[in-house]
Amino acid sequence: MDGNEPITRNGQRIPNGMLQENYPRNMWWVAAHSREVTSKPLARWILETPVVLYRLEDGKPAALYDRCPHRWAPLSEGHVDGDKIVCPYHGMEFNSEGLCTKAPTQHMKPKRAEIPSFAVREAGAFIWIWMGEQDSIDCDPPEVDYQVDPNWSFLDGYYEVAANWVLIRENVMDLTHIAFLHKNTFKQNDWVTPPDHYMEGDTVCYEQDFDLAPLSPLFCAGMGLPEDKPIKRTQKGRMPSLAISFSDWVVHDPTPEPDARAEFVMRGCHIVIPSVRGKTHYFWGAAFDVPSITDDVAEKTKASIVVAFDEDKHLLEIMQKQISKDPRGLDFLEVTLGADGAGIFVRQILNKKLKAEGRPL
């Protein structure tokens, strides 16, 4: 923070706008996990917009506005026929560009029977979507090839969280809360000092070295390490996009067993997508640079992560509910701590993008 940002009446330098329409449209967001999108239409609300996702005959994903222009029936309730999606109400067919190609109840195709289509890309384990101006696409989705790399083991999960996406994004960019909110689950209780935070181009980064200490039991099994063994670790975080961030546990075992590995990486992945007002799609991932962990280890690790992330979900939803009901809303004093450096960068990027789209907070 350079000190030149406007100070609001409550002393908050950069508003988080969590009670407003606060999502940029001209960027890549995740629409779904790749395995969710098939020849059967999938309905999903993204940026307060109903979207239908499906696959074409060649396997490529497609996305349209999920409302037929005739009498507004959701196309997601229909079916896919070849490369066309068919409305369940009167059988109107639409191609992947959103053009009506057939209205079976009449000979002529209706004029202006067109609905918005959205650019989609399949990258890593997910389908990405561009909801803004389609001619303004100037980049590819963030690099996530590790998610489908056979040299990594990738676990994932999904939550619908009844909280604004900004709350979740800031939560995962400041992991000093792990020592408090997750003291009985993560048990990484040495994480009480703020990391160094900085920008690399448009990517928010943080980094922090830790002294020898037992690793969080959530990740020991995936690395084949005992839960009580002191190890050296470096935490490295990156947010290449408001939609996705990574947190790497870079682990060094100073006294490995004979012929055993001494270096490991566990990469946490946090994906947020605004849904309907006040709700967020949250996809998480945990990847080990281990070619194939056993099913037992995968199930144990995933179950432990879910217990910990349930704690985040519970608190964030209570925060959203209380703030929404409080008549003071965002006018209440908000104090920024030293560990909020990466979160402040998040707000700067968010406000910059919204300003570019003519929608400043």
Side-chain angles (χ1 to χ4, degrees), residues 263-292:
E263 312 288 338
F264 296 90
V265 176
M266 194 295 296
R267 176 166 298 158
C269 172
H270 307 280
I271 296 172
V272 292
I273 311 101
S275 176
V276 296
R277 183 67 60 94
K279 290 188 177 181
T280 301
H281 303 292
Y282 169 56
F283 291 91
W284 63 264
F288 297 88
D289 64 341
V290 178
S292 57

Side-chain angles (χ1 to χ4, degrees), residues 24 26 133 349-360:
N26 289 327
E133 299 172 7
I349 293 169
L350 171 58
N351 279 269
K352 180 180 177 180
K353 282 188 170 291
L354 291 175
K355 185 176 180 180
E357 296 181 12
R359 301 188 294 121

Side-chain angles (χ1 to χ4, degrees), residues 108-130:
M108 295 179 61
K109 287 184 292 187
K111 295 180 179 179
R112 300 178 59 197
E114 181 179 357
I115 54 178
S117 63
F118 306 103
V120 285
R121 302 280 191 277
E122 192 156 14
F126 297 94
I127 306 294
W128 296 74
I129 190 168
W130 188 284

Side-chain angles (χ1 to χ4, degrees), residues 226-244:
E227 295 183 6
D228 59 351
K229 185 174 187 177
I231 57 95
K232 185 76 170 64
R233 83 180 195 280
T234 298
Q235 299 286 165
K236 295 183 178 181
R238 295 184 299 111
M239 189 194 78
S241 159
L242 290 168
I244 189 169

Side-chain angles (χ1 to χ4, degrees), residues 16-33:
N16 64 30
M18 59 165 287
L19 301 181
Q20 306 171 36
E21 180 188 302
N22 63 347
Y23 43 80
R25 302 185 73 85
N26 289 327
M27 57 174 280
W28 291 104
W29 296 94
V30 164
H33 198 288

Side-chain angles (χ1 to χ4, degrees), residues 76-214:
S76 56
E77 291 297 313
H79 67 277
V80 175
D81 183 3
D83 283 346
K84 311 292 174 55
I85 189 166
V86 183
C87 178
Y89 204 0
H90 296 92
M92 292 176 66
E93 299 179 2
F94 298 85
N95 65 18
S96 60
E97 285 74 46
L99 296 174
C100 177
T101 59
K102 183 178 180 181
T105 59
Q106 62 185 47
H107 294 296
M108 295 179 61
K109 287 184 292 187
K111 295 180 179 179
R112 300 178 59 197
E114 181 179 357
I115 54 178
S117 63
F118 306 103
V120 285
R121 302 280 191 277
E122 192 156 14
F126 297 94
I127 306 294
W128 296 74
I129 190 168
W130 188 284
M131 299 286 291
E133 299 172 7
Q134 299 299 287
D135 59 0
S136 68
I137 299 174
D138 58 359
C139 62
D140 293 323
E143 194 283 309
V144 285
D145 288 347
Y146 78 94
Q147 295 172 350
V148 291
D149 187 331
N151 293 311
W152 288 72
S153 296
F154 183 65
L155 313 177
D156 62 87
Y158 168 82
Y159 285 93
E160 181 183 67
V161 184
N164 188 276
W165 70 279
V166 170
L167 284 180
I168 304 173
R169 171 54 61 219
E170 292 184 341
N171 175 70
V172 298
M173 293 302 291
D174 171 22
L175 298 184
T176 58
H177 76 275
I178 284 179
F180 304 95
L181 183 60
H182 305 306
K183 62 183 178 181
N184 296 319
T185 49
F186 268 82
K187 298 181 180 179
Q188 204 77 77
N189 299 331
D190 55 353
W191 210 335
V192 292
T193 56
D196 294 329
H197 57 273
Y198 53 94
M199 294 287 293
E200 287 185 349
D202 294 329
T203 299
V204 179
C205 304
Y206 65 80
E207 187 168 344
Q208 190 170 10
D209 290 321
F210 290 85
D211 294 330
L212 286 169

Side-chain angles (χ1 to χ4, degrees), residues 45-60:
W45 280 83
I46 304 172
L47 311 192
E48 299 188 63
T49 302
V51 175
V52 57
L53 298 147
Y54 57 100
R55 288 192 187 271
L56 306 176
E57 285 187 302
D58 63 4
K60 292 181 180 178

